[in-house]
Amino acid sequence: MARINFNDVAETTGNSALPNGPYVLKVVSASWQERTNWGDEQTYVEVVFDVAEGPYEGALASRPEFAHTARLEFGDGRRLGILKHSLACLSRSNVGANGAPFDAEGAFNALIDPEDPRHGVAAKAFEGKLFGGNVVKYHKPKRDGSDGTTEMVWTWYDAQEVRDGTDRSGRPIVALEDKYKRGYTPRQEQPQTAQAPADFGQVTGVYDEDVPF
């Protein structure tokens, strides 16, 4: 057996699904959730997603223990601005009916309204849709100083913003750093940026003719 040249091997812990950094992501599924948490009723749309492009494509599907979700919350009016931004990123990143941008706001309202005649297909409208996300992995110790949990937080961008490496204001999109959250303990992985495919359009994604959005 050939000897291993360890000079060509990058050291990793093997315990993480993704390094911190921006990625082009795709929606795997979307569902309306109603739950009671410690007496507090929570209503939101849960989006399950995976990496759509680059060297980490499909990384979350192959590591189910690292499955990633985002909550699109609408029960609290204070979070509606964040919700609108997330839906705008989906709209600008995908083609909808008649070649127009995907109507993410219309699909979302149909999904949360059982009386909407499009309610039955609204969840399907989100499947396969692209968006951009920037992830930070941080360690959150317990108040007593003992070991806590490792958590991941995503911020939303357009898919094209991630491909271009800059946001809509022209500022570079870089891996989120330890200043993001108090209690963050940097990991050892080097930030990675998903590479764009050789050929892509300004607006991409999946459109199903049976879904009217």
Side-chain angles (χ1 to χ4, degrees):
M1 179 177 290
R3 293 170 64 86
I4 299 171
N5 182 359
F6 285 102
N7 292 328
D8 296 333
V9 179
E11 180 181 349
T12 65
T13 63
N15 293 325
S16 61
L18 291 173
N20 292 352
Y23 297 90
V24 175
L25 305 169
K26 65 179 177 181
V27 177
V28 176
S29 65
S31 58
W32 180 19
Q33 301 284 336
E34 289 183 304
R35 298 180 181 178
T36 301
N37 185 20
W38 297 96
D40 180 27
E41 293 186 0
Q42 298 178 335
T43 307
Y44 55 90
V45 169
E46 183 175 83
V47 174
V48 180
F49 56 88
D50 203 341
V51 179
E53 299 174 3
Y56 290 91
E57 180 179 353
L60 306 184
S62 63
R63 298 288 297 275
E65 69 271 28
F66 289 104
H68 285 82
T69 61
R71 288 187 178 185
L72 301 181
E73 300 179 358
F74 58 95
D76 185 346
R78 294 172 296 179
R79 300 186 63 84
L80 290 182
I82 298 174
L83 170 61
K84 184 171 183 176
H85 171 70
S86 302
L87 296 176
C89 290
L90 286 167
S91 292
R92 291 190 292 257
S93 300
N94 298 277
V95 173
N98 302 318
F102 170 53
D103 182 10
E105 292 182 3
F108 186 88
N109 276 326
L111 180 57
I112 66 174
D113 181 7
E115 302 300 322
D116 191 301
R118 304 168 299 173
H119 175 74
V121 297
K124 183 180 178 183
F126 287 98
E127 295 178 5
K129 294 299 186 294
L130 301 181
F131 64 100
N134 201 7
V135 65
V136 59
K137 179 166 56 264
Y138 66 96
H139 185 250
K140 188 176 182 180
K142 295 180 180 179
R143 291 184 178 181
D144 61 7
S146 60
D147 194 27
T149 59
T150 298
E151 302 183 21
M152 301 184 81
V153 174
W154 293 86
T155 56
W156 288 60
Y157 291 92
D158 300 2
Q160 193 63 39
E161 289 180 287
V162 171
R163 295 188 186 113
D164 293 340
T166 56
D167 64 18
R168 294 171 65 83
S169 300
R171 293 172 296 191
I173 300 175
V174 297
L176 297 173
E177 299 174 353
D178 57 353
K179 63 183 179 181
Y180 181 81
K181 200 162 186 120
R182 190 175 68 178
Y184 172 83
T185 302
R187 298 304 184 188
Q188 297 301 314
E189 307 95 314
Q190 294 298 315
Q192 299 282 340
T193 301
Q195 299 297 313
D199 181 25
F200 56 81
Q202 190 71 19
V203 180
T204 61
V206 177
Y207 170 61
D208 189 323
E209 292 183 356
D210 295 332
V211 180
F213 297 101

